[in-house]
Structure formats: C-alpha cells, structure tokens
Amino acid sequence: MSGFFENYGFLIVTIVQQALLGLSIYFPLMAGQLSLASIGFYSLGGYVAAIMGTHPALAPLREALGFWMFPLEWLGALVLSVILGIAVGYPALRLRGIYLALATVAFVQVVNVAVLNMPIAGGAVGIFGIPQAFESRLDYIWFFGPLFFFALFLVWRIGNMGRGLAFFAVREDELAAGAMGVATTGNKVTAFVLGCALAGVTGAMSAPFLNTWNARQGTFDASVTCLAYVLIGGSRSIWGPLCGAALLVSLPELLRPLKDSRMILNGVVLVAACVYLPQGIMGGLAALRARLSGRGGAA
Amino acid sequence: MSALLQATDLRRRFGGLMAVCDVSIEVRPGEIMGLIGPNGAGKTTFFNLLTGMTRADSGTVVFDGHDVTRARPEAIARLGLARTFQNIRLFGGLTLMDNVRVAGRVQARHGLLSGLCFTPGSRREDEAVTEEAYGLLRLVGLEDRADHLAASLPYGDRRRLEIARALALTPKLLLLDEPAAGLNPSEKLGLADFIRDIKERFDLTVLLIEHNVPMVMGLCDRVMVLNFGQTIAVGAPEDVQRDPGVIEAYLGGDAHGAA
Ligand SMILES: Nc1ncnc2c1ncn2[C@@H]1O[C@H](COP(=O)(O)OP(=O)(O)O)[C@@H](O)[C@H]1O
Ligand SMILES: [Mg+2]
C-alpha cells in the first residue's frame, strides 16, 4: 500500500489538482457559457502565491504567520480573481458561444504576455524556490482535497437549490430566461466569477506544490487540456471533470511501458472517447445505466 | 380607470422594413384585448417592444405606472408583465417542475449565499415556490409529468406548460402570442375557456395575438388590428369585423385566417 502511494501519490494529487481546473470550467458551463479563461486565473493565482511566498519585502509577514501564510496567499488569489473576473466578465459575456471562447483565449494570452513583462513575476524564467507547505508532495492532498470537495459541494448545491435554476434557465434559453424575470447578465457573470475564483485559488495552492511558477503554467495548450477534462468526462455531471482529469492525467503514465507509441495510443483513446461518448464518460455511464435498468424492467 | 399598459407611438425599423410604425395601445385593467392582423403585420415585434426584447427606435411604454421603454426584459417581467412566445421557448433540458419554478423563484428574497448556507428562510422559500409550481402544473393538467423533461412534451402540452410558466411570475398582464397555433379544434375551444378561467382566477389582464377569428370574437372585449406595422382599427370585436379597412387588409393580403 505504501509502495502504491510512493509510486502513484503524485499522480493522484495531480489528478485532483487538474480536476479542480476542470470544475472551474464547469461553473460557467452551468449557465451555458463556454469560457477558457480559467488557465489565466490559475496562472495569476499562482503568481500571487509565488510572489507572496518569495518576495523579500514580505519576509517579516511570512515569519509572523508561519503556515498561515498559505491561506493568506489563497485569499490574495481569491480577491484578485473575483475583481478581475467581474472586470473581464461583464464585457466578455456579451459575446456568445465560440466568440466568448475566443475572447477568453485572448484573455489568457494577454495574461501571459503581461506576466512575462512584469519584473516582479520574474520574466521568462519565472519564480523559483517557492517555500513548501509540506515535506512530501503527497501531503498537498490536504490542500487540493478539501478545495475539491468544497467545489463539488458548491456545484451540487447550486444544482439542487431553487436559486441555481436561474443558471440553468440561462443555459437553456437566455431570451426566455429574461422574459421570466431572470437577470441574465448577472447570472452569467456570477457563474463565470465562481469559476475564476476556483481557478485562482487552485493556482495559489499549486505554486508551492510545483515549487516553481512561470508563464508556461498559463498557455493555450493548458486551456484546451482543461476543456478536454470536462468534455471527455462529461459536461452534465458534477463528476465529469474528475473523470476526465483522471483519464487524461493518468493515461500517458499508464501507457509509459509502450515507450514512443504511447502518445499515439493516447490520442486514439481521446478520439475514441469523443466519437463514442459524445456526452462524455459520465454521460455514457448514465446512458448505460438507463439501458440496463430499462432491460431489467422489461424482464 | 387608468390604463395598465400604455404604449405611445412605438416604432421599430429592421433595415428598410418598417415593422412597427407609430403604434399606440392602451390596455385597461381586467380586460381581454385581442391583437390581430395578417402574417408579418408586426404583431410579434410589437410584443417584443412591450417586453423589452427589442429596442424601440422611438415611442414610450408605461406599464403599471413605470416607464419601461428602456428597461431590461427581466425588470419588466418582475413588474408583472409575463408573456409566451409564438414559437414556444421552454427550458427543454429542465423538468416541467423546474420550468415553472424558475419563474416562481424570481421574486424570491433569499439568494445564492443563503441557499448555499441552507438557511431556513431559503428552504421555506424553495418549498413555497415548489408548492405553487405544483399547483400551476395541476391547473394546466401536467402535474403527473412534473419530473419529465420539457423537451419530451408533445406540442399542445408545451403551450400549456409555457402558460403555466408565465403564470408563475404572478403577472398583472399576460401577453399570449398565438396561443392557439397548432392546436386542434377541440383544444382551441378549451383554450378560450381556459384563458377566461385563469383571467378570473388570477385577476389578470390579457393581451393576445390570435389568427383564429371566431376565438378572438368570442373571447375579447376589444380588438386592435395591425397591418404593415400600422394600426388600422381598434374597438369592439363586432365593429372591427365590419370595418372596411380590416376586410380589405384580410382579403387583400394572404387571407390567412380571414372570416
Ligand atoms: N429581428 C428581425 N430582423 C429583421 N426583420 C424582422 C425581425 N423580426 C421581425 N422582422 C420582420 O418584421 C415584420 C413583422 O414581423 P412579425 O412582428 O413577426 O409579424 P407578425 O407577428 O405580425 O406575423 C416581418 O416582415 C418580419 O420579417
Ligand atoms: Mg408573429
């Protein structure tokens, strides 16, 4: 058992960390908004933590707070993400569908270029030697795990309380939602900002976890990977992002014995998932369950 | 008695087409008013102007004492102006129950935060909304399918669900855009009774667009006729029916639904 965790512990923590990013895309999707901005907020949240964790001017604060410096970093990332999320959300969410997705990709690029040119962010090399919260990387599950369950709780609760219906109404038909008194813009921005905040805090937890932080954390590739977690896992189930992250993070590792051909097989699995499971893994499972119970009822 | 809805000289142009040209209307509390006219006359556009879904080029709309000419659709809806759509717009991926609850929730005072914290107030509010929604589904005879998805409903039931959803807003004024379209003759008869019934029960004022002339004549206290975006007649149904301009518009046009 201990051998298992030594071998796969890092992988498991990474899966949860990536699933958090998947969930951050899931929030705006609840209100029907396809946003790829998460990675930008993840990157910024990481920089907030990296700067707060290493900047010489903050040394007395770190000394005084000790471990509590980490929650303070999360708070910093949270506040920045919410403010920036509102500022970006209001204009961006006037766009729909693919145009919104493109605008949020542009936002990620702007963040990238901006941090590359900010001396405080360490330029292209980024920030090194970020203080660790735990001795073992595995212990970071104590950061990501509770955040993941909190985010799952939020998604579940929003889906089950009356107030959450406003999000789904906007997703189903924005015009009709407005005619039924739902504040469409406000709900879209709220769902978007929830996703931004989650991505930002995840970034702030990830900076110490990864030890270094640089502009490569916030690339277009990473945005698309996050979206793939949701699409492959299933965009209508709260477990979809976790499923997708588990598959996409672990697949290259599990296929490692295949050496060079593993990336080909990796790609084949992804294409097959898209073709045969258009509703994602969770959607496929739901369909399977429906079919099995239907057969059981007929027998 | 003063008007519940007063629109003055509303105008809206789409490119070179004058869809609604200086149309005024006065809807009095408690009446059922009909809006008729050939296809493309601008009736739906007029509804969109009243409900804030299309911006007016000029003119004003005053609803229940509020100037709503530039108001957002959701603000107008919250004041008590509910509508249905000619091409039915339900929340297809939500259950019948949730379709109705969306509108019922709109006046709620407990928001996201108190819901997330499971406050007793938000729970009670959710329960009250659910109960009311159930009552509305029963009213339209869909309560046994409350947990089905709206997209699974046959056409006639969708119309009824859309009306139930509009009623959940507890409106003062209900705008119905061709509620009888696509219904069979017996359903149409039932619809007229149903509209009269909900009007009494919820103390409503109704403005409806309808092509079915017998239905309009039997149901409406007053009728307004649009043609090419302009008002050509307004008055009691039997007077309007005899109006030469109206006969001309219907017979000269594509004679859709002409008496
Ligand atoms: N969004 C729009 N863009 C361009 N033209 C429109 C739009 N909406 C309506 N129209 C045009 O305005 C005219 C009136 O349409 P409409 O109000 O739907 O008529 P009605 O409901 O009386 O059949 C039609 O010629 C229609 O093509
Ligand atoms: Mg129409």
Side-chain angles (χ1 to χ4, degrees), chain A residues 26-32 153-172 177 182-184 186-188 190-191 194, chain B residues 91 93-94 98-99 101-106 108 110-117 122 125-126 129:
Chain A
Y26 191 88
F27 276 102
L29 273 181
M30 283 199 290
F153 161 77
L154 280 185
V155 172
W156 167 82
R157 181 70 187 138
I158 287 172
N160 282 280
M161 65 184 188
R163 174 61 181 76
L165 285 171
F167 288 160
F168 302 135
V170 173
R171 179 189 74 197
E172 295 293 321
V182 174
T184 49
N187 277 288
K188 287 195 287 183
T190 305
L194 282 172
Chain B
F91 306 123
L94 302 186
D98 285 348
N99 267 270
R101 288 203 304 164
V102 168
R105 277 275 325 169
V106 154
H110 294 268
L112 205 55
L113 222 50
S114 59
L116 289 174
C117 300
S122 83
E125 205 167 51
D126 274 356
V129 167

Side-chain angles (χ1 to χ4, degrees), chain A residues 60-186:
Chain A
L61 185 65
R62 283 194 292 274
E63 212 130 288
L65 286 178
F67 190 84
W68 291 104
M69 190 63 193
F70 293 105
L72 189 67
E73 292 169 6
W74 307 340
L75 187 68
L78 178 74
V79 171
L80 178 71
S81 301
V82 167
I83 293 172
L84 196 61
I86 293 172
V88 171
Y90 268 100
L93 290 161
R94 295 161 149 271
L95 303 169
R96 281 167 205 223
I98 194 76
Y99 300 102
L100 173 63
L102 284 175
T104 53
V105 166
F107 166 77
V108 171
Q109 298 299 330
V110 168
V111 168
N112 228 337
V113 174
V115 293
L116 276 175
N117 289 292
M118 275 196 290
I120 197 171
V125 283
I127 297 174
F128 281 93
I130 301 164
Q132 297 291 295
F134 306 103
E135 282 183 12
S136 158
R137 291 267 197 95
L138 303 190
D139 286 333
Y140 277 91
I141 198 72
W142 299 114
F143 278 7
F144 296 120
L147 182 63
F148 181 72
F149 282 108
F150 178 66
L152 266 191
F153 161 77
L154 280 185
V155 172
W156 167 82
R157 181 70 187 138
I158 287 172
N160 282 280
M161 65 184 188
R163 174 61 181 76
L165 285 171
F167 288 160
F168 302 135
V170 173
R171 179 189 74 197
E172 295 293 321
D173 187 332
E174 196 176 328
L175 196 86
M180 290 303 117
V182 174
T184 49
T185 307

Side-chain angles (χ1 to χ4, degrees), chain B residues 43-44 86 177-178 209:
Chain B
K43 305 182 295 296
T44 297
Q86 181 174 357
D177 196 343
E178 302 199 20
I209 295 175

